[in-house]
Amino acid sequence: MLSTRKKLKALEVGSRIGILGGGQLGRMLALAARQMGYRVHVLEPTPDAPCSQVADKHIVANYDDIASVLKLGKRCDVVTYEFENIDVRSVIALEEAGYPVFPSSQVLKTTQHRILEKQFVQSIGINTAPFYPVNTLVDLEQAASKIGFPAIIKTAYGGYDGKGQVKVTNLEQAQLAFQELLNRPLIWEKMIKFTKELGIICVRDRNNQIVTYPVTENIHVENILDTTLVPAFVSAKVADQATEIARQIAQNLNIVGVFCVEMFLLENDEILVNEIAPRPHNSGHYSIDACLCSQFEQQLRAICNLPLGSPRMLSKTAVMVNILGDHKGDHLSGTTGLLSDTNVCLHLYGKKKAKTKRKMGHFTVLSDDLDEAFEIAQKTRKQLRWIARR
Ligand code: ADP
Ligand code: MG
């Protein structure tokens, strides 16, 4: 057992929350922390990052700068992280110094590495896409014969939003992909023909209380989340199965905090787990406007040792759409039209440059009818355009 310098009781108003990572997830977590009366310190290398704009203090440092990470730990009552690609050694350093940090380094180690993650999922009797670890050209040929084509070759860690992934349909393409992704541990995954991609936000606290949100349908475009529909239009049996998978993962991973399970639904209603994100997730953003307790408040409740909140929805359905940059300009036009529909909620992340495919914001439509929510979302999306500032 590690000794903790700081007591793990329920954190009081004015306590300091430390966040490793200053992107939009950190920002929305910080806003929830503010609402609950907490102070926020963020560690992030980029000045004026989305989270630092709303935090009390910003330590400008790299995620693997252990001295700065320990400074964050010393200044804060509890630390968490907003994405899984931070160096696990930073979380281990916090733990060894006795600073409370959630989720644990063990959880991060498993979930930031696609091979360890899939091995863990299979070890608890849950299916994943067939895969094969690839480090050498010999492995590559083994993977081609054992798993076959079409396949996706991915970096085993460090990827997000489809980065570090190449689709291949023959050995020649696979060899080219191997060159492209060279010198990094890789995973060869069978390309799955899914009928839907599903997601579920789940939270576990230190007393093994588990709360699950509704199952969502997540539509990706070019490997990036585009739209989330809640609840997913699936049978009760599929929804129950997805929920049970999330509960099993929560318990066996021994996680404290919010996480998301991304899944593939097959034609025969079988579910394969694709990924586990050990943090609030893009597909859970709808919960800010559509649920009694958002995934961000829930994360704070879990890490601050408070009772977990209710995931109950305030409308029967919701649709969330990501607003991505397209390099055509940095000013978003059409927001007035969007805001004139009182069932639509807009969130922008304070990023100055709308680079292509950069997540700049999102909006959520609340409705008691999923088709109507989807239709409004499509109409709303058409109104938005990036233009050059006049
Ligand atoms: P990340 O989100 O970390 O970039 P993912 O593994 O979730 O990586 O891949 C992004 C998207 O690419 C998925 O949501 C899915 O749409 C598609 N994808 C990934 N792996 C597979 C697979 N094995 N079969 C089919 N589609 C996949
Ligand atoms: Mg993913």
Side-chain angles (χ1 to χ4, degrees):
M1 267 293 273
L2 293 169
S3 65
T4 40
R5 281 190 208 168
K6 291 171 184 172
K7 281 227 156 56
L8 299 178
K9 24 176 226 216
L11 289 189
E12 290 166 10
V13 167
S15 297
R16 283 149 307 198
I17 313 292
I19 307 175
L20 288 165
Q24 65 269 15
L25 293 162
R27 177 188 179 95
M28 289 181 266
L29 185 65
L31 291 170
R34 291 289 213 180
Q35 187 186 325
M36 295 165 84
Y38 293 136
R39 299 291 183 164
V40 178
H41 294 221
V42 60
L43 183 147
E44 158 66 40
T46 319
D48 194 38
C51 180
S52 55
Q53 292 169 9
V54 299
D56 294 275
K57 292 265 174 355
H58 180 185
I59 299 175
V60 182
N62 287 327
Y63 311 126
D64 59 357
D65 173 348
I66 301 289
S68 297
V69 169
L70 289 174
K71 203 193 285 176
L72 181 78
K74 188 165 182 208
R75 287 184 187 171
C76 293
D77 297 287
V78 64
V79 176
T80 187
Y81 41 90
E82 61 134 25
F83 79 137
E84 59 273 32
N85 292 333
I86 56 163
D87 195 322
V88 73
R89 283 173 298 191
S90 298
V91 177
I92 292 172
L94 288 166
E95 286 172 344
E96 285 179 349
Y99 298 131
V101 53
F102 301 101
S104 70
S105 61
Q106 194 52 46
V107 169
L108 181 61
K109 209 170 151 193
T110 306
T111 54
Q112 73 177 185
H113 195 288
R114 295 187 193 280
I115 297 166
L116 297 180
E117 182 174 69
K118 284 190 170 57
Q119 284 168 343
F120 159 74
V121 170
Q122 292 186 351
S123 77
I124 59 170
I126 298 168
N127 293 335
T128 69
F131 69 95
Y132 196 86
V134 172
N135 293 303
T136 63
L137 274 169
V138 175
D139 296 338
L140 195 78
E141 278 172 25
Q142 285 282 327
S145 72
K146 285 196 156 74
I147 313 290
F149 298 98
I152 308 190
I153 303 177
K154 304 180 184 175
T155 52
Y157 57 82
Y160 66 97
D161 286 345
K163 291 187 172 71
Q165 299 192 13
V166 185
K167 289 183 185 139
V168 296
T169 54
N170 57 49
L171 195 58
E172 205 184 348
Q173 284 178 2
Q175 281 158 346
L176 283 174
F178 184 81
Q179 299 301 334
E180 195 184 310
L181 303 168
L182 195 62
N183 291 332
R184 283 183 280 177
L186 304 174
I187 178 171
W188 179 296
E189 275 182 40
K190 189 178 164 116
M191 177 94 85
I192 301 300
K193 263 202 232 144
F194 51 77
T195 53
K196 281 187 166 106
E197 284 194 76
L198 305 179
I200 184 161
I201 302 292
C202 183
V203 62
R204 178 178 173 272
D205 71 10
R206 297 175 208 172
N207 307 313
N208 200 28
Q209 295 297 307
I210 295 172
V211 169
T212 54
Y213 283 74
V215 179
T216 64
E217 176 178 353
N218 299 333
I219 301 171
H220 292 79
V221 174
E222 294 177 23
N223 292 350
I224 302 179
L225 184 65
D226 180 84
T227 305
T228 294
L229 296 93
V230 205
F233 189 66
V234 291
S235 67
K237 196 170 150 231
V238 166
D240 288 349
Q241 198 188 331
T243 306
E244 186 49 30
I245 285 174
R247 296 187 77 87
Q248 287 297 326
I249 289 174
Q251 254 159 15
N252 288 284
L253 197 56
N254 220 0
I255 187 171
V256 172
V258 167
F259 66 98
C260 176
V261 188
E262 297 177 17
M263 293 165 278
F264 299 134
L265 178 65
L266 309 186
E267 211 156 9
N268 62 1
D269 275 359
E270 190 191 336
I271 293 176
L272 305 181
V273 165
N274 173 34
E275 273 201 302
I276 305 166
R279 51 165 173 81
H281 188 265
N282 195 167
S283 66
H285 289 356
Y286 75 90
S287 65
I288 300 175
D289 303 302
C291 297
L292 264 178
C293 179
S294 78
Q295 61 168 348
F296 298 102
E297 180 177 335
Q298 201 68 272
Q299 173 76 333
L300 292 159
R301 286 172 178 244
I303 68 172
C304 295
N305 222 7
L306 299 168
L308 295 181
S310 166
R312 184 158 71 79
M313 285 183 70
L314 304 170
S315 57
K316 284 195 181 125
T317 75
V319 170
M320 188 277 325
V321 172
N322 269 339
I323 302 171
L324 302 185
D326 61 9
H327 209 72
K328 294 206 174 111
D330 301 321
H331 178 74
L332 188 61
S333 81
T335 50
T336 312
L338 178 150
L339 293 169
S340 67
D341 187 329
T342 51
N343 296 309
V344 183
C345 310
L346 178 65
H347 298 256
L348 296 172
Y349 307 149
K351 297 180 185 176
K352 296 213 171 62
K353 290 272 164 222
K355 290 184 217 151
T356 305
K357 294 187 182 170
R358 191 172 194 204
K359 288 177 177 168
M360 300 298 291
H362 71 267
F363 65 84
T364 302
V365 183
L366 270 60
S367 168
D368 283 339
D369 181 87
L370 195 56
D371 288 335
E372 184 189 67
F374 189 70
E375 215 171 282
I376 295 172
Q378 294 307 97
K379 251 198 272 169
T380 304
R381 176 212 289 277
K382 283 199 192 117
Q383 297 176 13
L384 298 176
R385 219 155 29 94
W386 290 103
I387 57 170
R389 243 175 242 282
R390 277 165 293 228

